[in-house]
Amino acid sequence: IRDSSKAEELDALIGQDFGVYHLEGLLGAGAMGRVYLARHHDLHRSCALKLLPPRLAASDPAYAARFT
């Protein structure tokens, strides 16, 4: 990531809980969002969790529908 403010934003999510998932690290980022290595609290296993950019998902309902 070239922009240091974006890198700091990503780092702020790592280590946080997102629903039943604990975000452990960033696996990748692209046009549709960011993919994190996550751990499911109840199932006790690792998974990939993709998060859409909030500003795009909120401003364009079709964006979230295309993702789904």
Side-chain angles (χ1 to χ4, degrees), residues 5-25:
S5 64
K6 287 184 182 179
E8 290 172 12
E9 178 184 333
L10 293 175
D11 290 344
L13 292 177
I14 295 170
Q16 301 296 313
D17 288 336
F18 192 83
V20 296
Y21 300 98
H22 179 77
L23 302 180
E24 296 181 339

Side-chain angles (χ1 to χ4, degrees), residues 3-68:
D3 184 340
S4 64
S5 64
K6 287 184 182 179
E8 290 172 12
E9 178 184 333
L10 293 175
D11 290 344
L13 292 177
I14 295 170
Q16 301 296 313
D17 288 336
F18 192 83
V20 296
Y21 300 98
H22 179 77
L23 302 180
E24 296 181 339
L26 179 67
L27 295 175
M32 288 293 289
R34 298 177 183 136
V35 180
Y36 292 90
L37 173 63
R39 185 119 184 118
H40 193 286
H41 288 294
D42 299 332
L43 300 177
H44 306 290
R45 64 181 184 191
S46 295
C47 61
L49 183 65
K50 187 174 216 175
L51 299 180
L52 299 177
R55 62 180 169 72
L56 290 176
S59 66
D60 182 4
Y63 182 79
R66 286 191 306 273
F67 174 76
T68 302

